[in-house]
């Protein structure tokens, strides 16, 4: 059984094997390579300057089956209200019968209903979803923390003496991205720390924030595809866009496929600071 659910804010439409909206056929589209190339006069072939993977279009052929003519037109109104091109940045959840994935999507064209079926109680229609990021993402994030308490021994015993049975982890992480492509990250830095740096030692790229965070303050940095931002939350409850506090050497890095070694440090106070990282693994097929 395959199922598609498009969700935008608090509204959603489900396409499945059950009425009133039956998913008759589904094409998950293709992720294709886009090359920027140069061709020199008198030479064969081309020189590829850069290449990226383009967007994906998902096409669903549906059958609307209702118990009455009135229900049919009520459902038409609901479908065209939610599945319309004005709904930007929705989320499409795909279930293949074994596992669920999600992908950022928007409706590409308005819905056109075809001929009536069964005495105006049913109709065919097609919906196309434009996915600017072609990867199918895991619904659950992978979360890592640079500094956390690591238990070393656990047993059912009460001791009055001050003994240490745990340690504080260091400022480096070994992160395994098992997805098919690079994964953007969300980083949370908790003060106190001055000029915090998050460096992907695998790629040599780093993010440098030129400011001080006091205890109780934090910075949130996201490097997701088409959603890069930096927000600082002060003790007063104030939050603001902090892009202007990013150094010129900053690269909003993603995690490469496979093992990544990531380091967190600052120019002062990083022994008391904490840093968390979260990401979703992405796949070209679901």
């Amino acid at each position: 059984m395959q199922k598609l659910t498009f969700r935008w804010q608090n509204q959603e439409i489900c396409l499945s094997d059950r009425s009133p909206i039956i998913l008759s056929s589904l094409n998950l589209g293709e992720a294709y390579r886009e090359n920027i190339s140069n061709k020199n006069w008198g030479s064969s072939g081309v020189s590829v300057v850069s290449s990226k993977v383009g967007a994906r279009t998902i096409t669903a052929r549906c059958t609307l089956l209702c118990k009455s003519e009135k229900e049919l037109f009520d459902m038409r109104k609901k479908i065209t209200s939610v599945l319309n091109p004005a709904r930007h940045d929705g989320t499409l959840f795909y279930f293949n019968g074994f596992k669920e994935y999600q992908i950022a999507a928007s409706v590409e064209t308005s819905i056109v209903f075809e001929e009536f079926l069964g005495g105006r109680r049913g109709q065919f229609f097609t919906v196309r979803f434009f996915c600017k990021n072609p990867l199918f993402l895991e619904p659950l994030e992978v979360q890592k923390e640079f500094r956390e308490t690591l238990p070393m021994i656990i047993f059912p015993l009460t001791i009055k003496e001050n003994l240490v049975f745990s340690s504080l982890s260091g400022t480096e992480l070994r992160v395994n991205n098992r997805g098919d492509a690079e994964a953007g990250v969300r980083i949370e830095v908790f003060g106190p720390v001055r000029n915090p740096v998050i460096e992907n030692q695998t790629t040599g790229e780093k993010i440098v924030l030129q400011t001080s965070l006091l205890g109780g303050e934090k910075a949130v940095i996201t490097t997701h595809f088409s959603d890069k931002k930096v927000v600082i939350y002060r003790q007063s409850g104030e939050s603001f866009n902090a892009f202007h506090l990013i150094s010129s050497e900053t690269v909003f890095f993603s995690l490469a496929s496979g093992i990544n070694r990531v380091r967190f440090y600052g120019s002062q106070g990083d022994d008391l600071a904490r840093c968390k990282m979260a990401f979703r693994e992405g796949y070209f097929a679901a």
Side-chain angles (χ1 to χ4, degrees), residues 21-40:
I21 310 175
I22 298 174
L23 181 60
S24 303
S25 65
L26 178 63
N27 184 344
L28 293 178
E30 58 186 3
Y32 56 91
R33 185 185 183 95
E34 294 179 342
N35 294 317
I36 299 177
S37 60
N38 288 329
K39 182 174 178 61
N40 297 324

Side-chain angles (χ1 to χ4, degrees), residues 186-200:
R186 187 185 76 253
I187 300 167
E188 297 182 26
V189 180
F190 301 83
V193 64
R194 183 178 181 183
N195 300 330
V197 179
I198 304 92
E199 180 181 1
N200 188 340

